[in-house]
Amino acid sequence: MKRMMVLLQCMLLTAFAAKAMAASGELQPQQWQPIEEIAIAGDIPEFRGMPISPELPVIDPVVAPNYLDALAPATFWSGMLTYSFFGMIAVLSLFVVLNGKSKLAGGFSGNKVDRWSGMDIFVHWLGGIACLFLIATGLIMGTGRFLLEPNMGASHWIGVINSSVSLHDMMAWPFIVGWLVMVIKWMPKQMPESCDLAWFGKAGGYLNFGSFKGQHPDAGFANAGEKLWFWTFAIGGAIIVGSGLVMMFPSLVETKDAANLSLLLHLVCAVILGAFAVVHIFMATVMSEGGMECMVTGKCDENWAKQHHNLWFEEVQKR
């Protein structure tokens, strides 16, 4: 575990260094307004592409108005980002108060079962911690103009938003590494099974009232809820990574339409993944008794395995 923490520190230092080197280089123009330096003997170099007239620029006819219309209401996207994250926290908090936690029917047995490897734990926290930073800085970038800026001085706001943008860009790299390794490494265990629909039908056994109380539906290594989160993370993560890279490196696309579409997709996926991330964190830390231990030690209690992943536990016992 100590080696993994050292590796994580090295990766973060590398990201900081790369960010600093990028910041020290020459600023590059946006790809849709290239700047060309034309050297003329005996004269001041001419910069073509820079606006030289005080008149308003002509609107690029190739820009699709649909993208602009979708991005135009900044307050709408600010609200969507806020409600998807903080709204989900409020809903789940109320659910826990009314429903209670999912306790182990037989309590903790004290016997441990190996569930995750050291590499699994490392990439989970590498991507997970980076994801939390991305969510926090993304919320500031998307909502701070309306929620934070009016309550602080202009100089303070400039420092906050500039720091958030820099940290957001830096945390993208460990997130990409964690996301890619998790998707490739865990995909074989996330395929649909015949028991998945029944798991949803019994709400995963997490409801503590009515006919749902005491239900413990069958599940393999990953239950249906975890699979839903995995595929949302895998597909949504691919879109958010691709669109994010376009915004970090505009030269990857050739038109404003592509850049605007990337921003729109980034916002949509941020809303979806933000809400799912809250559910994932709640299920691991609050709802499921004994669940957090899995991604801290790599082991789980036998009774936890029997109650939440009985089909997988039976396979482990046969080995």
Side-chain angles (χ1 to χ4, degrees):
M1 192 65 184
K2 291 183 179 179
R3 293 182 178 178
M4 290 188 289
M5 295 305 299
V6 172
L7 179 58
L8 176 59
Q9 293 174 2
C10 292
M11 294 184 69
L12 291 177
L13 288 174
T14 302
F16 272 113
K19 184 66 181 179
M21 293 177 64
S24 63
E26 296 183 358
L27 295 177
Q28 297 297 319
Q30 293 178 326
Q31 86 291 355
W32 49 78
Q33 188 183 11
I35 300 175
E36 300 177 6
E37 181 178 358
I38 310 299
I40 303 175
D43 197 356
I44 299 175
E46 176 184 355
F47 288 89
R48 295 181 179 177
M50 295 295 288
I52 58 176
S53 171
E55 298 177 359
L56 293 175
V58 177
I59 297 177
D60 189 342
V62 302
V63 176
N66 293 338
Y67 294 148
L68 296 178
D69 291 341
L71 293 169
T75 52
F76 169 78
W77 289 108
S78 174
M80 289 294 290
L81 291 170
T82 301
Y83 296 138
S84 70
F85 187 75
F86 295 106
M88 185 60 72
I89 291 177
V91 169
L92 291 178
S93 298
L94 180 61
F95 175 78
V96 172
V97 171
L98 297 177
N99 179 79
K101 302 178 182 180
S102 176
K103 298 285 188 178
L104 293 180
F108 289 97
S109 68
N111 299 321
K112 304 299 181 181
V113 181
D114 291 329
R115 182 163 173 81
W116 298 103
S117 67
M119 178 56 70
D120 290 325
I121 297 173
F122 172 72
V123 296
H124 172 269
W125 290 111
L126 176 68
I129 293 173
C131 183
L132 291 177
F133 275 105
L134 290 172
I135 290 174
T137 54
L139 284 170
I140 294 174
M141 293 160 61
T143 69
R145 173 185 168 190
F146 307 103
L147 302 179
L148 298 179
E149 184 180 9
N151 301 311
M152 61 175 60
S155 59
H156 291 91
W157 167 246
I158 291 174
V160 169
I161 190 63
N162 287 341
S163 299
S164 297
V165 171
S166 297
L167 187 58
H168 197 81
D169 291 347
M170 185 188 70
M171 286 292 105
W173 302 111
F175 174 79
I176 291 174
V177 173
W179 166 80
L180 185 60
V181 176
M182 281 188 280
V183 170
I184 294 175
K185 198 171 188 295
W186 298 352
M187 186 181 297
K189 297 180 179 179
Q190 305 295 328
M191 296 302 173
E193 296 177 278
S194 58
C195 59
D196 290 339
L197 289 179
W199 189 93
F200 280 119
K202 296 180 180 179
Y206 290 101
L207 299 182
N208 294 325
F209 54 84
S211 60
F212 293 98
K213 187 174 183 179
Q215 295 285 339
H216 303 303
D218 293 337
F221 181 87
N223 60 45
E226 291 169 337
K227 292 174 185 177
L228 178 61
W229 160 239
F230 173 85
W231 289 108
T232 301
F233 176 74
I235 298 173
I239 297 174
I240 210 166
V241 166
S243 59
L245 288 174
V246 167
M247 288 185 284
M248 292 172 67
F249 305 101
S251 59
L252 292 174
V253 295
E254 298 180 354
T255 66
K256 286 184 178 180
D257 275 351
N260 290 335
L261 177 60
S262 295
L263 177 56
L264 182 60
L265 291 174
H266 203 77
L267 288 170
V268 171
C269 288
V271 170
I272 296 173
L273 290 179
F276 267 86
V278 172
V279 175
H280 176 66
I281 294 171
F282 254 79
M283 295 303 295
T285 61
V286 179
M287 279 299 298
S288 179
E289 184 180 31
M292 187 63 179
E293 180 184 13
C294 297
M295 270 303 169
V296 174
T297 66
K299 300 177 182 295
C300 66
D301 190 86
E302 275 192 4
N303 287 346
W304 183 91
K306 293 176 183 178
Q307 182 166 315
H308 295 287
H309 300 274
N310 62 312
L311 299 181
W312 165 73
F313 180 71
E314 291 172 4
E315 292 180 2
V316 171
Q317 293 296 98
K318 294 177 183 178
R319 297 173 188 171

